[in-house]
Amino acid sequence: ARLPEMFERRMAIVNHYEESFKNSKYFTTLKVKAGVLSSRHLYQIFLDLEKLTIDRNQFIVEMHERNIGCSVNYKPVHMLSYYANKYGLKPQDFPVAYNAFLGMVSLPLTAKMNVSDAQDVVEAIDSIIKKYTK
């Protein structure tokens, strides 16, 4: 019964992120195709590591130090132990997936958040980018 309300609250956060990040030179966001309705259960950014002096893991540490929880939700299939061991796969065997993985970060996105919480995330990212830009 609360699904529409929860979706609307998540979309308010997504819209705030989209507006705040639309001109970023330091990361891209995952786009939803026109005409497609997504649950937006995750909000992912892809760091441009060529423009930063830190890697994805240090970015996450920096976010946690600012009391912003974020993580990596997906690992490329070829890097999962079963497939890597069974087929002798290395991360570099699929360079596009591997490079996307190296810069991928899932930002907070929940119906319990409000736009003020999302702004805290935006400000934390801005401070990290300023601190670690090449």
Side-chain angles (χ1 to χ4, degrees), residues 55-81:
D55 64 9
R56 186 260 329 271
N57 293 338
Q58 183 60 39
F59 180 89
I60 292 172
V61 167
E62 292 283 333
M63 290 290 281
H64 287 189
E65 287 176 358
R66 290 163 174 80
N67 296 316
I68 307 292
C70 57
S71 63
V72 178
N73 286 93
Y74 296 114
K75 190 173 195 178
V77 171
H78 75 283
M79 291 175 60
L80 299 174
S81 59

Side-chain angles (χ1 to χ4, degrees), residues 45-61:
I45 62 172
F46 298 87
L47 300 170
D48 186 343
L49 299 174
E50 298 293 320
K51 295 180 180 175
L52 301 172
T53 60
I54 58 172
D55 64 9
R56 186 260 329 271
N57 293 338
Q58 183 60 39
F59 180 89
I60 292 172
V61 167

Side-chain angles (χ1 to χ4, degrees), residues 12-132:
I13 305 306
V14 167
N15 292 336
H16 186 76
Y17 284 158
E18 292 290 312
E19 184 62 28
S20 299
F21 301 148
K22 68 182 178 185
N23 296 319
S24 177
K25 299 174 190 167
Y26 304 100
F27 59 88
T28 57
T29 60
L30 189 62
K31 302 297 181 200
V32 176
K33 290 182 180 180
V36 173
L37 181 62
S38 170
S39 67
R40 299 307 297 249
H41 75 289
L42 295 175
Y43 191 90
Q44 296 179 307
I45 62 172
F46 298 87
L47 300 170
D48 186 343
L49 299 174
E50 298 293 320
K51 295 180 180 175
L52 301 172
T53 60
I54 58 172
D55 64 9
R56 186 260 329 271
N57 293 338
Q58 183 60 39
F59 180 89
I60 292 172
V61 167
E62 292 283 333
M63 290 290 281
H64 287 189
E65 287 176 358
R66 290 163 174 80
N67 296 316
I68 307 292
C70 57
S71 63
V72 178
N73 286 93
Y74 296 114
K75 190 173 195 178
V77 171
H78 75 283
M79 291 175 60
L80 299 174
S81 59
Y82 172 81
Y83 296 100
N85 294 333
K86 180 171 176 135
Y87 299 107
L89 299 171
K90 298 178 192 82
Q92 299 81 0
D93 288 344
F94 294 88
V96 174
Y98 180 60
N99 289 329
F101 170 71
L102 291 177
M104 185 185 306
V105 178
S106 294
L107 300 182
L109 177 59
T110 171
K112 293 179 181 179
M113 292 175 66
N114 58 44
V115 174
S116 177
D117 297 325
Q119 184 58 30
D120 291 342
V121 174
V122 170
E123 290 172 6
I125 292 172
D126 287 345
S127 72
I128 295 167
I129 295 295
K130 286 177 186 166
K131 184 176 179 181
Y132 294 104

